[in-house]
Amino acid sequence: MTFSIISLSLGAVAYLLLLFLVAYTTERWLPERYSHHPALYVLSLGVYATTWSYYGSVGFAADQGILFLTIYLGVTLAFILTPVLLLPLLRLVRSHQLTSVADLFAFRFDSQAAGTLVTVLALMGILPYIALQIRGVAEATQALAPDASPMPIAIGFCILVTVFAIIFGARHVTPREKHVGLTAAIAFESFVKLLALLLLAVVVIRLAFGSLGGLENWLQANPEQLREFYRPGLEGPWGSLLLIAFAAGFLLPRQFHMMFTENLQPRALLTAGWGFPLFLLLLSLAIPPILWAGQALQLDISPDYFVISLVQLSNSPTLVMLIYLGGISAASAMIIVETLA
């Protein structure tokens, strides 16, 4: 199933305009009991899942098997330690009005040089990662509209997310200013990408295996697939991957910004202590079925593209567009919050 570049462009623009509406409505009209609800805060932390998680987790699971869980388990460990790790950090950030990881290190070491070094290192890491998000959107567009150039969507996408970041984030840069519209929009994007992946997992199970029982029968008939999936867990670098993900859970600029800078009330972080690991669990549950469905159907492409290729086999334009917009959600949330941070 393919789309025209015009239909994809209209869908992408309409979705990004919807984000503007969500943010504007939240700032202007939504009652505080809703705009300050802990559920929005928890979902906004889903900015952690970028296009790498959305598309690339399947490829990582194909290469590293069960080790793909480390990108979720490491963050979960950080949130389990909320009372002794994240809450003390939140109190420090709020009491000294720190707005970034660079601020935190500059304060901790009482050194402007330390803050400058962290800023430079963050920029060196952020710029290629932003490029990866744009590439993810462009390649998904190319897969759905193979006869058209994805360049117009990539450029338009960059312009819209830049305007969004300016209107709902960068125009308010004081430490005391909270961006409830931004938080609501990022929470909405997290919900969209989670819903998209879970729906795809359900659809591909039926498409490739008929049912969960069919998936179980396929795994029993192909034990080498399970062995290959579990083998890296016996010899892989669990410790280092968990440590990296553990630190990323609260030291990535976008995570730090949503977790601490945009926090409205400390009890919301306590809710996130179990709510965000639940979000990551649901996200990770979708990955193995998508991987195994692609292998069962013998897709002759890189597993990084299983998400897009499998949804095209569903012959459902609605689901295809939802998956495409889920990828745009993952990319735009990362770019908006990372550049703001």
Side-chain angles (χ1 to χ4, degrees), residues 199-258:
L199 279 178
L200 179 62
V202 172
V203 169
V204 299
I205 287 174
R206 293 186 176 183
L207 182 68
F209 310 108
S211 65
L212 279 174
L215 171 58
E216 183 178 355
N217 292 335
W218 181 82
L219 290 173
Q220 290 177 351
N222 298 272
E224 70 280 359
Q225 298 293 348
L226 270 182
R227 286 197 300 269
E228 190 67 19
F229 185 72
Y230 288 122
R231 180 184 55 77
L234 302 176
E235 55 193 44
W238 276 95
S240 57
L241 290 174
L242 285 173
L243 179 61
I244 292 172
F246 175 86
F250 59 96
L251 289 180
L252 282 174
R254 64 183 183 276
Q255 288 301 113
F256 187 95
H257 185 84
M258 296 311 302

Side-chain angles (χ1 to χ4, degrees), residues 143-338:
L144 295 176
D147 296 330
S149 170
M151 189 65 68
I153 279 195
I155 294 174
F157 170 73
C158 292
I159 292 173
L160 283 173
V161 297
T162 300
V163 172
F164 184 97
I166 291 172
I167 293 176
F168 294 104
R171 66 190 177 95
H172 306 298
V173 293
T174 62
R176 297 184 184 276
E177 186 74 36
K178 306 299 180 183
H179 309 101
V180 291
L182 172 71
T183 299
I186 301 303
F188 178 77
E189 294 204 284
S190 296
F191 176 76
V192 168
K193 60 193 174 190
L194 176 62
L195 175 65
L197 275 185
L198 289 177
L199 279 178
L200 179 62
V202 172
V203 169
V204 299
I205 287 174
R206 293 186 176 183
L207 182 68
F209 310 108
S211 65
L212 279 174
L215 171 58
E216 183 178 355
N217 292 335
W218 181 82
L219 290 173
Q220 290 177 351
N222 298 272
E224 70 280 359
Q225 298 293 348
L226 270 182
R227 286 197 300 269
E228 190 67 19
F229 185 72
Y230 288 122
R231 180 184 55 77
L234 302 176
E235 55 193 44
W238 276 95
S240 57
L241 290 174
L242 285 173
L243 179 61
I244 292 172
F246 175 86
F250 59 96
L251 289 180
L252 282 174
R254 64 183 183 276
Q255 288 301 113
F256 187 95
H257 185 84
M258 296 311 302
M259 189 183 307
F260 301 124
T261 309
E262 298 295 347
N263 180 275
L264 295 169
Q265 45 195 347
R267 68 181 181 87
L269 186 54
L270 288 174
T271 303
W274 61 267
F276 188 52
L278 176 61
F279 173 88
L280 295 176
L281 172 64
L282 293 175
L283 202 65
S284 64
L285 286 177
I287 305 304
I290 294 173
L291 171 63
W292 291 328
Q295 292 172 338
L297 295 173
Q298 299 181 340
L299 297 182
D300 189 23
I301 56 170
S302 167
D304 288 331
Y305 300 100
F306 276 7
V307 169
I308 286 292
S309 295
L310 285 170
V311 76
Q312 289 178 282
L313 296 178
S314 71
N315 292 320
S316 169
T318 302
L319 182 60
V320 173
M321 185 59 72
L322 177 61
I323 294 299
Y324 179 66
L325 295 180
I328 288 181
S329 294
S332 57
M334 181 273 176
I335 294 174
I336 289 168
V337 179
E338 201 82 73

Side-chain angles (χ1 to χ4, degrees), residues 8-214:
L8 292 178
S9 299
L10 290 176
V13 170
Y15 177 73
L16 292 172
L17 290 177
L18 177 60
L19 289 185
F20 279 86
L21 180 61
V22 169
Y24 183 81
T25 301
T26 302
E27 285 192 350
R28 299 288 182 176
W29 298 316
L30 197 66
E32 189 172 297
R33 67 178 181 274
Y34 298 121
S35 64
H36 289 50
H37 198 281
L40 286 183
Y41 174 73
V42 171
L43 281 173
S44 72
L45 298 178
V47 71
Y48 175 78
T50 64
T51 55
W52 190 91
S53 298
Y54 191 78
Y55 295 122
S57 285
V58 178
F60 189 57
D63 291 335
Q64 300 295 329
I66 199 171
L67 283 179
F68 89 93
L69 285 175
T70 55
I71 62 178
Y72 304 109
L73 290 178
V75 183
T76 297
L77 290 174
F79 276 80
I80 289 174
L81 298 175
T82 293
V84 297
L85 175 64
L86 302 183
L87 271 179
L89 270 176
L90 176 62
R91 286 194 290 266
L92 179 68
V93 167
R94 290 167 72 97
S95 62
H96 295 280
Q97 298 186 30
L98 309 177
T99 60
S100 67
V101 178
D103 282 352
L104 178 64
F105 277 82
F107 173 80
R108 171 63 182 82
F109 296 103
D110 193 20
S111 168
Q112 184 178 357
T116 302
L117 178 61
V118 171
T119 301
V120 171
L121 292 175
L123 280 173
M124 291 172 62
I126 286 170
L127 292 177
Y129 205 23
I130 288 176
L132 184 63
Q133 308 311 302
I134 300 169
R135 177 183 173 183
V137 172
E139 290 184 347
T141 303
Q142 188 75 65
L144 295 176
D147 296 330
S149 170
M151 189 65 68
I153 279 195
I155 294 174
F157 170 73
C158 292
I159 292 173
L160 283 173
V161 297
T162 300
V163 172
F164 184 97
I166 291 172
I167 293 176
F168 294 104
R171 66 190 177 95
H172 306 298
V173 293
T174 62
R176 297 184 184 276
E177 186 74 36
K178 306 299 180 183
H179 309 101
V180 291
L182 172 71
T183 299
I186 301 303
F188 178 77
E189 294 204 284
S190 296
F191 176 76
V192 168
K193 60 193 174 190
L194 176 62
L195 175 65
L197 275 185
L198 289 177
L199 279 178
L200 179 62
V202 172
V203 169
V204 299
I205 287 174
R206 293 186 176 183
L207 182 68
F209 310 108
S211 65
L212 279 174

